[in-house]
Amino acid sequence: MTDWQRTDITAGAVRIATFSYGDTTDSNRPAVVLVHGWPDTHHLWDRIAPQLAEHYRVFAYDTRGFGESDRPTDVPSYALPGLAEDLFAVIDAVTDGGSAHVVAHDWGSVQTWEAVTTPDAEKRIKSFTSVSGPNLDFLSEWARAQLASPTPGNIGRALSQVASSAYTGFFQIPGVSDAFFRAFGSEKVWTEFLHTIEGTPRENVSFAPTLREDMISGLKLYRANIRGKLARPEPRPTKVPVLEVVNDRDIALRPAIFDLTHTHAEKLWRKSGTSGHWLPYTNPDYLAETAREFIDFVENGTSSAPNTIDRARQLGKPLALTGKLAVITGAGSGIGRETAYALAALGCEVVLADINVASAEETATECKAKGVLTNVYELDVSKVAAVDEFAETVRARHGVPDIVINNAGIALAGSALAATDEQLDRLFDINVRGVISGSRAFARQMVARGTGGHIVNLSSAAAFTPSRDLGLYSASKAAVLMFSESLRAELAEHRIGVSAICPGIVHTNITSTTQFAGAADEDATRAKIDGFYEKRNYTPDRVARQIVDAVVSNKAVVPVTPEAEFGYRVYRFFPWASRIAARQKLNG
């Protein structure tokens, strides 16, 4: 376990065991107080404290009823106002009456919310990083809002949270829940529970010898607060800067319950990822870096590179992808441009890459108008070294992306026999190697970060619709499809989704630049095909909507247009029919 230095303070009649880590003598360094939840102690922070201690004076404490602090036997002693006073008492003690930044998890976050909504809290709490712990007054307000407007969506969100919180009803039953944890509250059982439910590395968990006792006494938190807060909410505002770290796979708390925080927090930021409830155990490096960046931002008014805090600022109700970073190649036109617009409209910061910088800048203008951070880079995806350099630049300047859209591509039609080697190399360098390079470079970053992500690769209906006039193009897109399916399997354990998007006949500028190998009059053939696509009038914005849906829903293969959906099923169930149709010439 981490080498903590213990001192005791008194909060009212309760003795609170308080701990420091590292050198805390330099008063010029900001103070950070770490607050644990149920059933943990200050050892929750064993892997985070050393990282924060490189920059700050770090303190933690065992909240009342846990670890080495006093354990009142009566339930009312665990009411939130008293717990908030404990936090203020700790801050006063470790800062000599000054102020501190607070990072809190689970019930530690719940009680810190009580503190930061206390009048003048901003004089003692400089910032609050909240992890997996809501303000119970805000939660009650949110639940009432869902019931007041019983649409299917609202009812679904409410029922989802009820299901996630069902265990709290069991915790309310004295005797029964106590007996359960006496029987099953061992360190071994709890370690295996976290490993099974969230994939938490066994070596990351740090429990106090009092774990079983902490589990039982900590049940008083539930009994003292939940029913009263849900029945009689009193939401109060806060001026303290707050960063909500929202975990999409939290088994206890659904992300939707945080939707009303912005109505009470004047200065609010939000970061989300595919982590679970016990983020301090499962991915301590990510949480330490996130907290450090936010604390530095509050201290200095600016964020160090990579700047992930600016995009996390929440000015209103969170959008579907608020705070996410998306990278789009081929963003200067067509599907890439429309996808950039769609992601920006949902709150994503966007990084736009294209071989034609001027066209990408045009896309950026509209994205910026939607109020999101936008940056443009020149990129030739056919160059592996250039893709790797681009990925590293994005990581260094903007952070690891949450969404990557490998969209850049070209078309080549006509006879496979007539195509030149130069045409063949260019087609596969862009369509296949470009997709693979982008996927590999950014997937490595996502895996290292450990909070999931999503990669979208643009394939085509041609991948499963053989054609005598599109053999080479079909081969390139079939490679993208199979690579995406295989990569999806490889990255599943890292919570990184991969989607292959397979549009059919979509009118973009790719048709006007398509080369037709072996055509007697290439310009006339191109004009005829482009005219047909224009009359078909399936616009790229409709594909962009499907891409966003694939990201949100983590879909594997998405045939987009009606003909793509038809062709996908024909090829799967009646391949002989596809082979017969493939003999038809593209231009009649």
Side-chain angles (χ1 to χ4, degrees):
M1 288 188 177
T2 299
D3 185 18
W4 296 92
Q5 302 299 314
R6 175 181 169 179
T7 58
D8 287 349
I9 71 164
T10 300
V14 179
R15 178 184 54 83
I16 301 294
T18 306
F19 302 86
S20 63
Y21 182 88
D23 181 9
T24 58
T25 60
D26 185 359
S27 60
N28 291 321
R29 303 175 82 191
V32 178
V33 174
L34 309 173
V35 191
H36 69 84
W38 181 95
D40 302 297
T41 64
H42 70 283
H43 288 298
L44 173 74
W45 309 106
D46 279 359
R47 291 178 176 268
I48 293 175
Q51 300 184 59
L52 296 182
E54 296 176 7
H55 309 276
Y56 319 112
R57 293 176 290 146
V58 176
F59 305 91
Y61 66 101
D62 289 344
T63 64
R64 63 171 70 189
F66 293 84
E68 300 175 48
S69 292
D70 283 349
R71 300 174 184 274
T73 57
D74 62 309
V75 170
S77 291
Y78 293 82
L80 286 175
L83 298 172
E85 289 302 319
D86 291 350
L87 172 57
F88 286 129
V90 171
I91 292 174
D92 288 344
V94 302
T95 65
D96 293 325
S99 58
H101 300 272
V102 178
V103 181
H105 173 256
D106 189 71
W107 272 99
S109 180
V110 174
Q111 57 194 273
T112 303
W113 270 116
E114 183 74 14
V116 299
T117 55
T118 301
D120 296 326
E122 68 275 8
K123 297 177 181 178
R124 301 159 81 181
I125 299 178
K126 300 177 75 173
S127 77
F128 171 30
T129 300
S130 169
V131 186
S132 294
N135 180 300
L136 294 185
D137 296 295
F138 301 171
L139 173 58
S140 178
E141 181 184 43
W142 173 85
R144 290 164 182 259
Q146 309 312 300
L147 297 176
S149 179
T151 63
N154 286 346
I155 294 298
R157 283 185 285 271
L159 290 176
S160 177
Q161 182 54 52
V162 168
S164 297
S165 301
Y167 70 96
T168 63
F170 173 68
F171 285 7
Q172 300 284 330
I173 308 173
V176 177
S177 53
D178 295 21
F180 176 84
F181 286 109
R182 284 193 187 94
F184 300 104
S186 69
E187 179 175 333
K188 180 178 180 180
V189 170
W190 193 241
T191 299
E192 289 305 312
F193 172 80
L194 295 181
H195 179 72
T196 301
I197 295 298
E198 301 200 355
T200 302
R202 296 181 180 90
E203 64 274 13
N204 278 16
V205 297
S206 301
F207 302 128
T210 55
L211 176 62
R212 194 188 307 267
E213 191 178 357
D214 296 336
M215 286 180 165
I216 296 169
S217 64
L219 295 174
K220 296 181 178 67
L221 291 171
Y222 296 86
R223 298 164 190 168
N225 297 292
I226 290 182
R227 284 175 291 179
K229 285 290 188 180
L230 294 181
R232 296 176 298 279
E234 297 179 357
R236 304 187 305 261
T238 181
K239 296 180 181 179
V240 175
V242 177
L243 170 64
E244 282 187 324
V245 180
V246 179
N247 301 307
D248 295 342
R249 293 179 51 251
D250 196 315
I251 62 172
L253 304 167
R254 306 311 306 145
I257 69 172
F258 300 102
D259 283 355
L260 294 182
T261 307
H262 71 280
T263 63
H264 302 291
E266 291 185 9
K267 304 172 183 177
L268 179 65
W269 287 256
R270 174 172 174 159
K271 289 186 71 173
S272 60
T274 58
S275 299
H277 186 79
W278 269 273
L279 184 62
Y281 284 145
T282 305
N283 200 333
D285 295 345
Y286 170 76
L287 180 53
E289 178 62 21
T290 296
R292 185 196 64 76
E293 189 176 9
F294 184 56
I295 292 168
D296 286 353
F297 180 83
V298 173
E299 284 285 329
N300 305 320
T302 184
S303 180
S304 57
N307 183 1
T308 67
I309 292 300
D310 278 347
R311 70 168 173 267
R313 183 67 188 269
Q314 186 178 322
L315 301 177
K317 183 176 180 179
L319 301 171
L321 299 174
T322 292
K324 301 286 189 181
L325 172 64
V327 173
I328 305 116
T329 67
S333 62
I335 294 172
R337 170 173 287 181
E338 293 297 334
T339 301
Y341 293 164
L343 292 172
L346 292 176
C348 269
E349 176 185 353
V350 291
V351 172
L352 312 177
D354 201 289
I355 197 169
N356 186 335
V357 176
S359 63
E361 290 287 1
E362 293 176 4
T363 304
T365 299
E366 180 65 24
C367 292
K368 291 175 182 177
K370 298 180 185 297
V372 301
L373 297 173
T374 305
N375 288 275
V376 173
Y377 293 88
E378 182 179 3
L379 178 65
D380 181 353
V381 300
S382 69
K383 310 298 183 184
V384 176
V387 174
D388 288 341
E389 181 181 355
F390 168 66
E392 180 56 29
T393 298
V394 171
R395 187 201 62 76
R397 295 181 182 176
H398 311 288
V400 177
D402 304 286
I403 302 165
V404 173
I405 314 292
N406 290 305
N407 166 73
I410 62 171
L412 175 64
S415 168
L417 305 184
T420 66
D421 288 341
E422 290 77 11
Q423 288 175 323
L424 182 62
D425 289 343
R426 182 168 179 264
L427 176 72
F428 278 84
D429 283 347
I430 294 174
N431 285 11
V432 181
R433 193 59 191 266
V435 168
I436 292 175
S437 297
S439 298
R440 279 160 44 94
F442 286 112
R444 290 188 184 112
Q445 295 180 8
M446 292 178 180
V447 169
R449 181 181 62 178
T451 58
H454 202 95
I455 296 171
V456 173
N457 294 328
L458 266 292
S459 180
S460 168
F464 44 76
T465 310
S467 168
R468 59 177 290 162
D469 290 314
L470 288 174
L472 296 175
Y473 178 73
S474 294
S476 72
K477 291 302 184 178
V480 170
L481 176 59
M482 187 53 65
F483 169 71
S484 300
E485 292 249 53
S486 301
L487 187 65
R488 180 181 178 88
E490 179 180 349
L491 298 180
E493 64 187 87
H494 302 288
R495 308 291 178 183
I496 300 170
V498 181
S499 298
I501 307 298
C502 303
I505 300 172
V506 179
H507 188 233
T508 69
N509 66 346
I510 195 172
T511 56
S512 62
T513 59
T514 298
Q515 294 184 336
F516 290 82
D521 189 341
E522 188 174 13
D523 290 338
T525 302
R526 183 183 299 112
K528 183 177 181 180
I529 297 299
D530 189 49
F532 171 74
Y533 273 57
E534 184 176 8
K535 291 179 181 178
R536 172 69 171 83
N537 197 33
Y538 197 101
T539 51
D541 59 299
R542 298 170 71 180
V543 183
R545 289 196 292 271
Q546 296 266 28
I547 290 173
V548 170
D549 182 60
V551 171
V552 173
S553 304
N554 191 20
K555 295 181 178 180
V557 179
V558 183
V560 176
T561 58
E563 64 274 11
E565 294 181 7
F566 178 76
Y568 187 52
R569 286 160 178 78
V570 169
Y571 189 70
R572 289 179 64 188
F573 300 111
F574 307 101
W576 55 269
S578 294
R579 297 184 189 111
I580 293 175
R583 299 171 186 173
Q584 303 300 311
K585 290 186 177 181
L586 188 66
N587 60 342

